[in-house]
Amino acid sequence: MAETSETRYRVGGMDCASCASKIDTAVRRVAGVADVSVSVMAGTMTVRHDDSSDLKAIEKKVTGLGYSVSPFAGSAAPARGHGSHDHHDHDHGDHAGHDHADHDHASHDHDHDHAGGEKEIEGLHGHDHAPMTGPWWQSKKGRLTILSGAALVAAYAIGHLVPAIASYAFIIAMLVGLVPIARRAVMAALSGTPFSIEMLMTIAAVGAVIINAGEEAATVVFLFLVGELLEGVAAGKARESIQSLTTLVPKTALLEDNGQTREVPAESLAVGAIIMVRPGDRISADGIIISGESAIDEAPVTGESTPARKGVDAVVFAGTVNGDAVLRVRVTAAAADNTIARVVKLVEEAQESKAPTERFIDRFSRYYTPGVVLVAALVAVLPPLLFGGAWSEWVYKGLAILLIGCPCALVISTPAAIAASLSSGARRGLLMKGGAVLETLGKVTMVAFDKTGTLTEGKPEVTDIVSFGLNEAQLLSRAAVLEQGSSHPLALAILNRAKADGVPVPPAFELEALPGKGVSGKVGGETLELLSPSAARERGTLGAEQDARITVLNDEGKSVSVLLVNGVTAGLIAMRDEPREDAGAGLSALKSAGVKAMMLTGDNKRTAAAVAGMLGIDWRGEMMPEDKQRVVGELKRQGFIVAKVGDGINDAPALAAADVGIAMGGGTDVALETADAAVLHGRVGDVARMIELSKRTMRNILQNITIALGLKAVFLVTTIAGITGLWPAILADTGATVLVTINALRLLRAKV
């Protein structure tokens, strides 16, 4: 079998789903093409093909239909499972990291490079990239619409001055707009799409001229072009919303080099480079702070209104704004792989994977459009033949039905809403890999959460300091003395608490680790030991009351360390991985949405019970990854639609088994790869927000389908009854398309 490769193209000028289906149908006919995926909202096409296929022929097919096309730099890659995916992902991410204006520039240059004939077709087509990037009247589509409008006005003027040639003037005015439409219709028909909207339009306009309705034909063509222009502007708005994220990342960075700082392009930063970020500057790369502490405004990326205080070792994202102090940051991701580039890449790819509703609508419209042509033909022909009706009247009605039947609004109803939601979610750190995921989320009835790092902070904190003689500060100071230099999570918990309480930590002497028991050392003439309860019991230093106290703390799911001073028990320090601040509120939001929640953890049952008790949630403890997977399977068999939320690494089997796997946390590569969706900012409440966004999207899609079919039904009846004619028919189609798109764009502004 020939090795398949994958090539990605940037396609200019698609503004509705019928554009995508025409390109899809045409490119699939090229020899060697295995699969085609076209995204209107992302303006991309991905082609899987073997070595025998001619890439120039693919490009020629697309330009022949009148769209501009340019391959992503070096985008052909062997498609062998994940490897190829990563490769083209990287190219795409690279692109996402660049300035959007640069990309437009490139695609326009490409437009001018076409051979003469192709260039001419593209110019006539009127479809191009400009509605997205500049004023609509400067785009080819805008210019064609203005020209058609001017020709129509001129025809009216000539008709009044010289009535004898009025009909010819209108035919000429009509041809100004119709020639490029008809050219596209013929190209689409030759490429396998005979029932395109352009073909319906061409038949209707030519038919109108034949029955002496030249004035209406010219007006209808003009209205059609206006409608297409409005669609282009609306689609551009949706596309811009996600691309605008890329403009958040600054173009330059201050790189530290041999003690000096110099300005370099942000995209040239290598992993490990040290950059300086001044107060008020945007951070130019994902990284870790190595010196300085500042309030970071993450609103551009996360939508979080209050700045987050971040110090050494804290993670920062590209595009966020440094508040009040100079920071030095070590770069952890190249420009192509930073958080924003990955988000853009994921959303664009997600828009290429269709939702079940979208696939149904696509199939429906495949039969719907020929059906409409058949009904229109019957309406035009049967009454005159069978009942002696006037040919001109019934042909006119048939043509109107043909225009009403355009499936544009119906076909765009789902992808427009899904694209807007994916973009809206991404701006708030809610990533969903495609329409199918977005659609399933709204049906979820059970969410299974991992505990550590998902419902809890993922690192222990000191919860209780129980003193026998010393005061709290003295006890904490002595424990911290023994733990300095250690990176054990429990040691870090004690050191963090000492730092937070401002407790002095003097240096210790003769520090010694006692394997399996604890640590000992000397300070200020005292011999200090920090031991596990079992080691303290062996030493015989615990009284019955102290032992009982340890048991109570253990039952609350806490780990306990015992501090001995000169061999005598001085106090206890208890630690536990505490629930996230927003865990309670997030779970109650799910509950109020009618979604059940459960905690699955590998932790011991005592700890699991304690945390679950605090959160009021069902739980299962001491679970291996395969146990979590088994439980998810059981829940599904019980009839639940299950979402599994975890950190994406030890939860991979369960994430894969669930109806929707949601990765929690800072968007690690593993999490983003294994899960269907990701909550970038690690908030438990974001899971409920994701489900709510999905439900709102499905309501929006239902409204869109109702608008599209409802308007058609009304005008179908009024046309057959002779109340409305060609003009209202085209207005109904265009109006429905624009209404549907505007309704979908409301999701962009939705506060999640």
Side-chain angles (χ1 to χ4, degrees):
M1 187 183 136
E3 182 184 289
T4 59
S5 305
E6 204 164 73
T7 308
R8 282 180 79 86
Y9 294 91
R10 182 63 74 180
V11 181
M14 294 189 292
D15 56 19
C16 74
S18 68
C19 302
S21 65
K22 273 182 293 202
I23 293 171
D24 188 304
T25 307
V27 174
R28 275 180 200 278
R29 292 183 156 209
V30 176
V33 170
D35 193 26
V36 184
S37 178
V38 185
S39 167
V40 179
M41 290 302 170
T44 59
M45 172 175 74
T46 305
V47 182
R48 289 188 61 231
H49 55 87
D50 60 33
D51 298 340
S52 70
S53 55
D54 178 0
L55 296 187
K56 281 278 170 276
I58 291 173
E59 289 181 36
K60 195 159 183 163
K61 279 280 187 196
V62 180
T63 49
L65 290 170
Y67 304 91
S68 64
V69 60
S70 51
F72 282 94
S75 66
R80 292 189 217 88
H82 265 311
S84 74
H85 196 62
D86 294 344
H87 184 101
H88 93 252
D89 270 7
H90 181 76
D91 288 322
H92 196 172
D94 201 22
H95 187 92
H98 292 326
D99 181 19
H100 197 49
D102 291 353
H103 134 59
D104 290 327
H105 223 33
S107 72
H108 283 312
D109 291 348
H110 188 88
D111 290 356
H112 297 303
D113 291 342
H114 293 322
E118 291 173 18
K119 184 174 166 187
E120 182 197 0
I121 292 171
E122 209 228 317
L124 285 166
H125 169 48
H127 259 324
D128 76 319
H129 227 32
M132 187 167 84
T133 54
W136 62 267
W137 59 86
Q138 287 179 3
S139 67
K140 294 181 191 128
K141 185 182 293 184
R143 288 198 297 268
L144 180 64
T145 307
I146 292 166
L147 187 63
S148 174
L152 187 60
V153 170
Y156 270 111
I158 291 166
H160 273 290
L161 295 173
V162 192
I165 61 165
S167 58
Y168 300 110
F170 281 117
I171 289 171
I172 290 166
M174 179 202 74
L175 289 174
V176 168
L178 189 67
V179 168
I181 294 171
R183 179 82 68 93
R184 279 148 57 193
V186 171
M187 290 303 291
L190 293 175
S191 301
T193 313
F195 295 110
S196 63
I197 184 169
E198 288 86 358
M199 185 62 82
L200 302 189
M201 188 65 234
T202 307
I203 294 168
V206 171
V209 169
I210 292 168
I211 59 168
N212 230 353
E215 181 181 339
E216 291 199 353
T219 312
V220 163
V221 168
F222 172 63
L223 289 175
F224 175 79
L225 289 171
V226 170
E228 280 222 314
L229 182 64
L230 288 172
E231 280 174 35
V233 172
K237 282 272 183 292
R239 205 174 291 152
E240 270 174 349
S241 71
I242 187 62
Q243 283 294 351
S244 66
L245 281 172
T246 61
T247 62
L248 292 172
V249 183
K251 295 286 157 284
T252 58
L254 291 171
L255 178 69
E256 284 193 9
D257 195 6
N258 299 327
Q260 303 286 314
T261 57
R262 58 191 175 90
E263 199 168 53
V264 297
E267 64 195 40
S268 70
L269 291 174
V271 173
I274 308 294
I275 56 172
M276 191 176 88
V277 187
R278 296 170 301 203
D281 280 1
R282 279 189 192 277
I283 298 169
S284 44
D286 285 5
I288 293 174
I289 298 173
I290 54 171
S291 74
E293 184 179 321
S294 178
I296 310 285
D297 177 7
E298 298 191 325
V301 180
T302 68
E304 195 63 60
S305 53
T306 50
R309 193 99 209 143
K310 294 197 171 183
V312 175
D313 289 340
V315 173
V316 291
F317 299 117
T320 54
V321 182
N322 179 21
D324 46 28
V326 173
L327 296 177
R328 289 172 66 239
V329 175
R330 186 172 70 250
V331 176
T332 55
D337 300 318
N338 70 34
T339 308
I340 288 180
R342 285 219 308 270
V343 167
V344 171
K345 176 176 71 191
L346 273 169
V347 172
E348 291 199 341
E349 282 174 5
Q351 288 170 2
E352 290 176 12
S353 73
K354 294 190 170 184
T357 307
E358 194 175 339
R359 284 200 292 267
F360 167 74
I361 295 280
D362 278 355
R363 285 201 303 274
F364 177 74
S365 62
R366 201 171 298 150
Y367 301 107
Y368 166 88
T369 311
V372 165
V373 173
L374 183 64
V375 169
L378 292 175
V379 166
V381 172
L382 289 184
L385 283 180
L386 302 180
F387 309 111
W391 276 99
S392 60
E393 179 194 338
W394 286 99
V395 168
Y396 182 89
K397 285 179 181 177
L399 295 174
I401 287 169
L402 203 59
L403 294 179
I404 291 165
C406 290
C408 236
L410 184 66
V411 173
I412 204 170
S413 59
T414 307
I418 283 174
S421 277
L422 291 171
S423 303
S424 174
R427 298 178 86 95
R428 293 162 181 79
L430 312 177
L431 293 187
M432 290 150 284
K433 292 186 177 178
V437 176
L438 183 61
E439 206 165 304
T440 309
L441 270 165
K443 300 172 189 160
V444 165
T445 51
M446 168 68 80
V447 181
F449 287 93
D450 182 33
K451 178 181 81 72
T452 310
T454 300
L455 288 174
T456 64
E457 290 290 353
K459 54 183 188 290
E461 293 171 23
V462 173
T463 54
D464 303 78
I465 299 174
V466 182
S467 183
F468 306 125
L470 298 172
N471 68 28
E472 271 196 16
Q474 291 168 325
L475 185 67
L476 193 58
S477 172
R478 284 163 174 75
V481 161
L482 293 174
E483 296 290 26
Q484 58 193 331
S486 170
S487 59
H488 188 278
L490 295 177
L492 292 174
I494 291 171
L495 290 166
N496 288 339
R497 176 64 180 266
K499 186 179 174 186
D501 289 3
V503 171
V505 184
F509 302 97
E510 299 176 36
L511 270 181
E512 186 189 348
L514 309 171
K517 294 179 180 177
V519 63
S520 70
K522 290 183 178 173
V523 63
E526 291 178 332
T527 300
L528 305 177
E529 293 165 284
L530 194 63
L531 304 175
S532 66
S534 57
R537 283 189 196 103
E538 278 175 29
R539 296 281 293 273
T541 62
L542 289 177
E545 188 192 330
Q546 293 164 344
D547 216 347
R549 194 66 191 272
I550 290 171
T551 306
V552 170
L553 290 167
N554 280 336
D555 285 344
E556 291 171 357
K558 295 168 184 173
S559 303
V560 180
S561 294
V562 183
L563 181 73
L564 307 185
V565 179
N566 295 329
V568 179
T569 302
L572 311 172
I573 295 179
M575 289 153 281
R576 183 173 61 191
D577 182 10
E578 292 290 86
R580 290 173 180 273
E581 279 178 41
D582 74 323
L587 291 172
S588 59
L590 281 175
K591 197 172 179 181
S592 60
V595 180
K596 290 187 165 68
M598 174 184 272
M599 182 177 84
L600 307 178
T601 178
D603 224 333
N604 67 67
K605 291 189 175 175
R606 273 198 308 207
T607 306
V611 172
M614 292 166 72
L615 295 171
I617 184 175
D618 286 344
W619 63 276
R620 308 268 181 97
E622 296 177 12
M623 307 201 82
M624 300 298 287
E626 57 272 24
D627 297 328
K628 293 181 182 181
Q629 183 182 17
R630 193 192 69 247
V631 170
V632 166
E634 284 169 13
L635 290 169
K636 283 171 75 172
R637 280 193 292 279
Q638 287 167 29
F640 287 106
I641 305 286
V642 183
K644 173 73 180 78
V645 185
D647 60 14
I649 300 164
N650 60 352
D651 290 294
L655 285 170
D659 293 293
V660 183
I662 302 173
M664 191 82 156
T668 60
D669 289 336
V670 177
L672 289 178
E673 284 298 322
T674 49
D676 303 306
V679 175
L680 280 189
H681 311 302
R683 292 185 292 248
V684 178
D686 280 353
V687 177
R689 289 187 191 97
M690 231 179 215
I691 290 172
E692 170 52 29
L693 181 65
S694 167
K695 286 179 174 170
R696 193 183 297 130
T697 307
M698 297 319 292
R699 283 198 300 272
N700 192 286
I701 287 171
L702 196 62
Q703 290 161 4
N704 285 349
I705 291 171
T706 308
I707 291 169
L709 290 178
L711 273 172
K712 289 186 188 311
V714 168
F715 279 91
L716 189 67
V717 173
T718 56
T719 301
I720 291 175
I723 301 166
T724 54
L726 282 177
W727 301 16
I730 195 77
L731 278 172
D733 177 62
T734 298
T737 306
V738 173
L739 278 176
V740 160
T741 309
I742 290 169
N743 189 39
L745 292 180
R746 283 192 311 126
L747 290 164
L748 285 176
R749 291 195 296 279
K751 282 280 168 278
V752 180

